[in-house]
């Protein structure tokens, strides 16, 4: 199998697993969101440390500088918020709204590029953000409140991605540090639940216990798939594949769990989808023009070629 084809399969696998993650979380519907989150942190750390040990990469954690550790500590706090809101949203019948958060996320990334890196928006990017702003207003009117679950997910994950980019640490090592930062408080919380007899681990049946322990596996596997895809396929391909996750979540919310989507809400989602089409088209067209310009420069001046 070619590298590009295997990379595409890894990418589809990663985003598809993230997309169907609500199916797993719903199996723990009777368990509190905070307890699920705590187990996700604890078991993820156990798993990634095991992977690093087997691959003999555990020593890499000692080579990370103070700056990387600081950034990953911030990333840990952001992903804790993201995971917590997501789990709560899924188990409180807001799967459609959680999907909206990940549809909005690419637009939030554009906003962060402006605010943090001082990037200048092009006309189509302004149009996409304008459509997104109108969509949020429409959805606020329909919900009777701002779509805070979607906005919290979009901004926490968008900022998390920005911080991770600045940290520039491999996925497994990064997850190890992030979960290590959260390990002691989450473990303490689980110990308190166990001492009070209010936790589900070990008391709510073997099925629930295994599902809670499996939170680490379902966290790490798609992350590993994503890491494998990232080194095999272009970022434009990954950028397009990312819409698979919220699409699957949206379909699960509507078709499997029967969440209602009133007509006005469909209008809001349609505006978001239109904004994403505009944004994606702008990126693809711009990169095609850049490649053509690079080829033209090479034809005119072959000395610019390297290697």
């Amino acid at each position: 199998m070619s590298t590009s084809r295997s990379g595409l399969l890894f990418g589809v696998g990663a985003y598809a697993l993230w997309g169907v993650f609500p199916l797993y979380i719903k199996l723990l519907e009777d368990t509190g969101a905070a307890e699920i989150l705590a187990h996700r942190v604890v078991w993820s750390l156990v798993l990634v440390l095991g992977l690093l040990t087997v691959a003999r990469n555990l020593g890499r954690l000692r080579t990370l500088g103070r700056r990387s550790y600081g950034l990953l500590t911030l990333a840990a706090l952001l992903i804790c918020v993201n995971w917590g809101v997501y789990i709560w949203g899924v188990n409180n019948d807001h799967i459609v709204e959680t999907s909206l958060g990940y549809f909005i996320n690419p637009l939030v990334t554009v906003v962060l590029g402006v605010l943090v890196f001082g990037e200048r928006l092009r006309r189509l990017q302004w149009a996409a953000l304008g459509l997104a702003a109108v969509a949020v207003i429409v959805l606020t009117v329909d919900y009777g409140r701002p779509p805070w679950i979607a906005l919290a997910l979009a901004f926490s994950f968008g900022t998390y991605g920005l911080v991770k980019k600045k940290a520039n640490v491999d996925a497994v090592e990064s997850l190890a540090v992030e979960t290590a930062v959260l390990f002691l408080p989450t473990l303490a919380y689980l110990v308190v639940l166990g001492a009070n007899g209010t936790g589900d681990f070990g008391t709510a049946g073997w099925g629930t216990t295994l599902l809670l322990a499996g939170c680490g596996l379902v966290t790490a596997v798609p992350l590993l798939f994503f890491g494998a895809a990232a080194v095999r396929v272009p970022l434009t391909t990954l950028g397009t594949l990312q819409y698979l996750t919220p699409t699957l979540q949206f379909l699960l919310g509507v078709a499997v769990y029967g969440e209602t989507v009133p007509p006005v809400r469909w209008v809001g989602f349609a505006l978001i989808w239109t904004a994403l089409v505009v944004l994606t088209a702008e990126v693809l067209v711009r990169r095609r023009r850049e490649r053509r310009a690079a080829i033209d420069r090479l034809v005119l001046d072959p000395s610019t070629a390297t290697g």
Side-chain angles (χ1 to χ4, degrees):
M1 184 182 295
S2 67
T3 300
S4 60
R5 186 175 179 184
S6 64
L8 183 62
L9 291 176
F10 278 124
V12 171
Y15 286 114
L17 287 173
W18 281 323
V20 299
F21 192 49
L23 292 172
Y24 192 93
I25 296 298
K26 276 289 189 181
L27 295 174
L28 293 164
E29 194 167 15
D30 295 331
T31 302
E35 184 175 359
I36 298 172
L37 172 62
H39 278 286
R40 189 173 186 184
V41 170
V42 168
W43 294 108
S44 292
L45 177 60
V46 171
L47 185 61
V48 294
L49 288 180
L51 291 172
L52 289 172
T53 301
V54 171
R56 298 183 179 180
N57 290 330
L58 196 59
R60 290 185 182 180
L61 297 178
R62 293 193 295 268
T63 65
L64 302 179
R66 185 177 299 177
R67 177 178 179 275
S68 293
Y69 274 113
L71 289 169
L72 291 178
T73 298
L74 177 57
L77 299 176
L78 290 167
I79 201 61
C80 183
V81 171
N82 184 269
W83 285 357
V85 172
Y86 179 80
I87 293 167
W88 186 92
V90 168
N91 277 351
N92 284 273
D93 302 321
H94 295 292
I95 297 176
V96 169
E97 190 174 348
T98 64
S99 75
L100 175 63
Y102 293 105
F103 278 124
I104 293 176
N105 182 63
L107 299 163
V108 170
T109 301
V110 173
V111 173
L112 291 174
V114 174
L115 296 178
V116 178
F117 296 112
E119 296 177 0
R120 298 182 63 181
L121 294 182
R122 292 170 290 277
R123 281 181 295 179
L124 286 179
Q125 289 177 314
W126 276 114
L129 291 180
L131 287 170
V134 173
V136 170
I137 293 172
V138 169
L139 291 168
T140 298
V141 172
D142 179 67
Y143 279 112
R145 58 168 175 80
W148 69 266
I149 296 174
L151 293 174
L153 289 173
F155 278 93
S156 61
F157 196 72
T159 309
Y160 172 74
L162 174 66
V163 172
K164 293 261 284 189
K165 182 177 180 180
K166 284 182 171 291
N168 194 27
V169 177
D170 288 342
V172 179
E173 287 88 343
S174 176
L175 184 60
V177 174
E178 292 162 33
T179 50
V181 168
L182 302 170
F183 179 77
L184 288 179
T186 53
L187 181 63
Y189 174 73
L190 292 176
V191 169
V192 170
L193 287 183
N196 293 335
T198 54
D200 283 352
F201 189 79
T203 62
W206 281 106
T208 298
T209 298
L210 291 174
L211 286 169
L212 288 170
C215 285
L217 187 64
V218 298
T219 297
V221 169
L223 184 68
L224 293 172
F225 281 5
F226 177 81
V231 299
R232 288 173 170 83
V233 297
L235 288 177
T236 50
T237 303
L238 284 179
T240 304
L241 287 176
Q242 72 177 317
Y243 301 128
L244 178 61
T245 294
T247 299
L248 288 173
Q249 292 173 350
F250 180 87
L251 292 175
L252 283 176
V254 174
V256 177
Y257 296 107
E259 294 186 17
T260 57
V261 183
V264 175
R265 205 166 301 171
W266 278 109
V267 172
F269 269 90
L271 288 169
I272 290 293
W273 293 331
T274 303
L276 291 174
V277 169
V278 171
L279 189 66
T280 303
E282 193 277 336
V283 171
L284 293 176
V285 170
R286 176 167 50 86
R287 289 187 177 176
R288 184 175 298 175
R289 288 175 177 171
E290 289 173 352
R291 284 197 297 268
R292 287 179 178 174
I295 292 172
D296 290 342
R297 287 194 299 271
L298 182 60
V299 170
L300 294 173
D301 185 7
S303 63
T304 60
T306 59

